[in-house]
Structures are given as C-alpha cells and as structure tokens.
Amino acid sequence: MSIERTLSIIKPDGVRKKIIGEINKRFEDAGLAIVNAKMMQLSKSDAEGFYAIHKDRSFFNDLVAYMTSGLVMVQILEGENAIQLNRRIMGATNPAEAADGTIRSDFASSIEENVVHGSDGPETAKAEIEYFFG
C-alpha cells in the first residue's frame, strides 16, 4: 500500500446542510488525514476551469451554477490508498446507487447535488490539488 494525497470538496449543499464536521469525521475515522483545507466561494471562472473536462456535456452550465451557488470546503486528504478510500467513503455519484452508510447515501439529495467531490485517480488528484493549492 502507498501513502497518497487526494482532493476532496464538500460542495455547496454539504456546507449549507452544516455537515462539514460529520464528513470530516468519516474521513478521519477511516484513517485519512486532512492536511490542508480552505473554505472558499468559487467564481464562475474557477468552476469552469476546474470542470473544463465536462465543458461539452449537457450538464456543464448547471454544474457551474451549482458549484458557484455557495461556499465550498476544499481539502487535501492523505493516507494509505487515499484516492480509493475516499471514493468508497463518498459512495456512488448517484445517491440512489450509493452503498448504505456512505456520505452520498446518507446526505445527498440528487445526482446533481451529491455533497462531495473526490479525485478519481492519481493524475487527477495531482492536477486537482495543484488547481486549488498551487
């Protein structure tokens, strides 16, 4: 096993629901350390840049509007196999398909408003961390 870093975002609906502490407790209970974090309001250009990979998809404008609708908590998580562990803790993107006890199963209201984001692989994690933390 290897120590990895991954990006985690608690999205606007998670911040509005006041569940940052509960989400972070789940990360820490699973063995992930929060090594950097900042609360921020994404600008339209921030969100468009971060989600540029989706720019040609039908949901892009809605995603940008959602991600700029309120504060987000952007974090770097670190631990053994942090990327896959974080993804397991989050659950499937669609909360209806997420395993019981995952963040999305417990807190997400829809596939669009699904509380959290996590990097999907080592290269993505590196680029996403760089995007927000330089």
Side-chain angles (χ1 to χ4, degrees):
M1 294 192 198
S2 64
I3 300 296
E4 296 177 325
R5 286 188 168 188
T6 189
L7 185 84
S8 170
I9 301 175
I10 302 175
K11 296 179 179 181
D13 57 321
V15 175
R16 277 192 289 275
K17 291 176 182 179
K18 299 180 180 175
I19 56 174
I20 294 169
E22 173 61 30
I23 291 169
N24 286 343
K25 181 176 182 338
R26 291 180 186 211
F27 293 149
E28 291 176 331
D29 287 351
L32 294 171
I34 301 163
V35 298
N36 205 337
K38 61 183 173 182
M39 182 82 77
M40 61 188 300
Q41 173 73 49
L42 296 181
S43 68
K44 184 177 179 189
S45 65
D46 290 335
E48 288 174 340
F50 185 71
Y51 288 107
I53 191 168
H54 300 302
K55 70 178 185 240
D56 294 327
R57 304 193 74 183
S58 62
F59 61 82
F60 179 72
N61 289 331
D62 289 339
L63 177 60
V64 169
Y66 160 59
M67 290 300 293
T68 59
S69 69
L71 293 171
V72 296
M73 176 65 78
V74 182
Q75 306 179 119
I76 301 172
L77 306 179
E78 182 179 83
E80 287 194 26
N81 296 312
I83 296 165
Q84 288 307 312
L85 181 55
N86 181 40
R87 295 189 69 74
R88 193 171 340 120
I89 295 165
M90 289 189 308
T93 301
N94 183 346
E97 298 171 1
D100 288 345
T102 61
I103 292 168
R104 289 176 173 149
S105 171
D106 291 347
F107 301 113
S109 55
S110 69
I111 195 168
E112 292 83 17
E113 294 190 11
N114 60 18
V115 182
V116 286
H117 165 88
S119 304
D120 62 5
E123 296 80 22
T124 307
K126 184 177 179 184
E128 290 181 346
I129 289 168
E130 178 70 21
Y131 190 84
F132 286 108
F133 291 94

